[in-house]
Structure formats: structure tokens, C-alpha cells
Amino acid sequence: MDSLDRILVYPLQQLPFFLITIVIAFTVHEFAHAYFANKFGDPTARLLGRMTLNPAVHFDLFGIILLLIAGFGWARPVPVNRDNFSRPRLMGVIVSAAGPISNLLLGILGALIYAALHATGVMDSITNDQLLRAIYWFFGMFIPFNFFLFVFNLIPLPPLDGYRIVEDIAPRPIRGKLQQYEQWTVFIFLLIIFIPGLSAYTIRPLNIWSQQIATDFINMFLKLFGYGTL
């Protein structure tokens, strides 16, 4: 057990709550891409069975394993054919942004529920220490993780959604240059993720920022409920 704890990002006790978090966050993210692509006239994802909230069709096994042991992973990207859109650039931006925005909304919803549990006295009434710990662990992962996915996926580097948004917004000459160097910018992305010296100045600040956003939203909702702050 101790050896597993050293390998995994989270201790075994907390692992189930992290798994629940990534199942919800990744599934909703990919569903949002598929839903809006289909809505705008591209049935590719729907025909491939990707327009669903069934986690099994969105998960990449290697990506999930890497997430558990390295703290970084991915789901299976939803295929989108922009040629099917009546307004490819505008609709492409919306489809790309739909995934990160879905995580933003999940983070806000999680903060609202967590604040409501405190403001209504539910948390204070729980006498089972294990249940109370489970609630703290789940929301402590779910809320900041979704805010992190929102911010992280807007980074304008391939294969992230932020890059696709920039690609759709950019004028044609710039878009051509972006596509020309896309394979090389993927390497920049990988270096940022996996080299500790670089990730300390890129990914780690995003983690800290996501935690702060989570705290700010929770406290905002608590104040709205007249509870004060945590």
C-alpha cells in the first residue's frame, strides 16, 4: 500500500474521489464539444457515439493512468469537422470553448453546493467523521480541478482548446503560419508539462490560481447565503 501511495498523485484513501472528479469533469467536457458540434451541423461525434454522458466512450486508458501517477493526462478528443459548419470560424470557436466553459460551470456549481451545505448547517449536523472527511475530500478536489481544466485548456498551445480558438480567430495568413509550426509547438507544450523546472513556473501557478478561484467562489456564495467565509 505504501508503495502505491508513493506512485499515485493522491493517497489511496482519496483516490476514489479523484476518480469521480475526473470522470465527471472529462465526460462533461467532451460531451460539450460533441453537443455543440452536432448542434451547428457537424454530426461526426454523434455518429461515432461520442455525444453521450457515458464516460467509457470518452476515456483514454493511458491518459487516465498517466493522470493518476503523474498528475497530467487526457480524455479522448472529440472529432470535429469544421467544414460542416455554416460559419466555420465562429462556430469552431464556440465548439472549442464549450469544453472549458463546461468545466467552469461545474466548478461554480460545485462551489455553490459546497457553500450551501455549510450555510444550511448540513455540514455541522454530520457526526460521522468518515462521511464528513469524504465530503471535504470530494469538493476539495472537484471544485479546483474543474477551474484548473477551464484555465489550462485555454492555453493557446496544441492540442489544447485555446489553440483551436486562436486558430479560428486568427486571419488566414497567421492561421497558415500556426498550422505550419503546429507540430513543433506541441513539443513546447510537452516540455512545459513534463520538465519540473518549467512546470514549476507554468502548471504549478495554474494549480495555485485554481485553488484561489475555488476559494473565492465558495466564499462569495457563503456571503450570499449570509454565512460569512470559511
Side-chain angles (χ1 to χ4, degrees):
M1 290 295 183
D2 290 340
S3 60
L4 274 177
D5 276 340
R6 285 195 293 269
I7 293 172
L8 298 172
V9 173
Y10 287 99
L12 281 175
Q13 283 183 309
Q14 299 179 22
L15 190 60
F17 306 103
F18 183 58
L19 288 171
I20 294 170
T21 292
I22 62 176
V23 163
I24 297 173
F26 282 4
T27 299
V28 172
H29 181 108
E30 298 303 331
F31 171 79
H33 286 313
Y35 175 81
F36 280 97
N38 184 71
K39 187 176 181 64
F40 292 146
D42 175 28
T44 306
R46 176 175 57 80
L47 294 175
L48 292 173
R50 300 297 305 279
M51 201 176 80
T52 176
L53 289 172
N54 176 7
V57 304
H58 298 300
F59 270 41
D60 180 282
L61 181 59
F62 181 70
I64 298 305
I65 292 173
L66 196 60
L67 182 64
L68 295 178
I69 63 176
F72 170 77
W74 54 82
R76 291 174 58 208
V78 164
V80 176
N81 185 352
R82 284 166 166 73
D83 291 338
N84 290 323
F85 297 152
S86 59
R87 302 178 67 183
R89 296 177 67 179
L90 173 62
M91 293 176 176
V93 168
I94 296 173
V95 170
S96 295
I101 290 174
S102 73
N103 293 122
L104 172 64
L105 295 177
L106 283 176
I108 294 173
L109 178 62
L112 176 62
I113 294 172
Y114 185 65
L117 290 175
H118 277 282
T120 56
V122 172
M123 297 295 282
D124 294 332
S125 67
I126 297 175
T127 56
N128 186 311
D129 289 341
Q130 288 185 329
L131 176 58
L132 194 61
R133 191 181 303 116
I135 294 173
Y136 278 120
W137 279 345
F138 172 68
F139 284 104
M141 294 177 188
F142 183 84
I143 301 170
F145 185 75
N146 274 287
F147 285 131
F148 175 81
L149 285 184
F150 166 67
V151 176
F152 178 76
N153 275 287
L154 291 179
I155 295 174
L157 286 174
L160 300 176
D161 298 316
Y163 174 78
R164 299 302 168 197
I165 292 172
V166 170
E167 190 179 37
D168 282 321
I169 292 175
R172 189 180 299 275
I174 296 177
R175 191 159 64 250
K177 289 290 184 181
L178 289 173
Q179 292 169 350
Q180 181 181 349
Y181 294 108
E182 183 173 327
Q183 59 180 332
W184 301 109
T185 50
V186 169
F187 285 112
I188 296 174
F189 170 75
L190 293 175
L191 290 175
I192 289 173
I193 295 297
F194 289 110
I195 295 181
L198 292 177
S199 63
Y201 295 99
T202 53
I203 304 305
R204 191 175 300 166
L206 289 184
N207 269 317
I208 295 171
W209 191 25
S210 301
Q211 292 283 350
Q212 186 59 54
I213 294 172
T215 301
D216 289 344
F217 266 103
I218 291 168
N219 285 331
M220 181 188 72
F221 287 127
L222 285 171
K223 288 179 180 178
L224 289 175
F225 289 133
Y227 184 84
T229 59
L230 293 180

